[in-house]
Amino acid sequence: MAPDSKSSNDLLIHNSLQSICYKRGSLQLLDQRKLPLETVYLDIQDATDGWNAIRDMVVRGAPAIAIAAALSLAVEVANFKDFNGTSEEAASFIELKLEYLVSSRPTALNLSDAAKKLIEITSNAASTTIMPESVFQAYIEAAEIMLDDDVASNKAIGSYGSRFLQDQQKIVPRFSVLTHCNTGSLATAGYGTALGVIRALHAEGVLERAYCTETRPFNQGSRLTAFELVHDKIPATLIADSAAAALMKESRLSAVIVGADRVAANGDTANKIGTYSLALCAMHHHIPFYVAAPLTSIDLSLSSGEEIVIEERSAKELLHSRGGLGDQVAASGILVWNPAFDVTPAYLITGIITEKVSHRTRNFDSFTQLCLSLMNKLLYEQGVITKNNDAFNIKDFVEKAAGKSTA
C-alpha cells in the first residue's frame, strides 16, 4: 500500500521541523526528500508503508528510523478490525513484522535494538493473557513510550555535550562547531543528537557559529541541517564536503561533532559516508572529534567496526542530481560505488556523548557535587564516554549507566 501525501498545512501546527506526527491509530512522516523547498507529509497506514518510507529515505536518521518503524506497526495493529488468532499468534505476527522492518536499513542499530525490545515486551504480554488485543495494546503502549523517551534522551545529549565542551575548553569563550549529515529534529523524534549539542551551546549563548557539510550524495547537510539551523536562527555556514580540511586549516573550529548509526564495543563508529575523512582531518589539525549518540546506538556484541555491515545504496544517487531524484549528471556507463556509511576508528574519536549519567554522581549533597566537579573526575561520566590509556571502556560505562534515566 503506497502512502498518500498530504499538505503540511493540515498536519503541521506546532513545529515545522517535526518529522514524525503521531496520534494513536494515525501516523504521518515528513517526506524529507522534498525539503527544503516543499513540506509534504505521507500517511503511513501499516508496516509495509513504514518499510518503504524508511528504505526510500522519506524518513532517515537512526533514531527517527527506529521510531517510525515501531509506530508504523503500532498504527497497523491499532486499526485491526478483527484478529483471528491467539495471544501467542499475535506476538508472532508482531515479531515477523518487526523483523521485516529491520531489513529496511540494516546498518542502523537503533532499529534492530527497538525491534528486540518490542518483541520481548509482546512475548511477555502473550505469556500472561489469552487475549490477542492485550498483546497489541502492550505493543502500542511500548512504541509510544519510545517516542517520548527519544526526545528526553536527545535533550540530555545536548546538555551533557554542551557542559563537557565548556569544561574541556575553558579558555574558549565561544565555540565554532562543524557537523556532518543531519542529526537534528528531522533525524530523531525531536531536538537531535549532534545537532542537539549545537542547539544547547546556542541556547547557553556560547556558540559562535555552526558549520555544516553538504553531505553528498543525498545532501542531508545542505537540505536538512541547513534548514534546521536557519529555522532556529542559529548562526551557521554551509560548506562543500571537500572544503572541511581547508576550514580546519584556517583554525576556525573548536570541535567536530557527528552522529552515529552504530558504535562497536571498542568505539569504532559507523556514520554517514564522509565521517571518516572528517575525523582524519580533525586529528591532523588537532581538533577534538566527538560522536553524539544514545546508548541504543552502541552494539556491545561487535568487538570492532570491522564487523559492522555497511549498506550500499543505488548508483542513481550519484548518477543523478538531488541524490538520485533529479536529472542525470554523470556519464552513462560509468560504474558506481555508493556506500551509505563509513567506519571511523576509535583512535580518531575524542569522546562519545550519550544521554546517560553514572549512578555514582546521583544523590550527593551540593557540597559533594561541587567537589566532584572541581576534581573533574565524575563529571565526565555524566553523559560522555572518554578514554583511559587511549582506549574506550564502553562496556563499563554502559553497565554503570544501565537503568539510570535522565528524563
Side-chain angles (χ1 to χ4, degrees), residues 63-78:
I65 286 170
I67 300 299
L71 293 178
S72 70
L73 181 52
V75 168
E76 180 172 349
V77 300

Side-chain angles (χ1 to χ4, degrees), residues 91 108 113 203 206 209 352 381 407:
D113 181 74
V206 295
R209 180 160 298 275
I352 301 170
E381 293 181 351

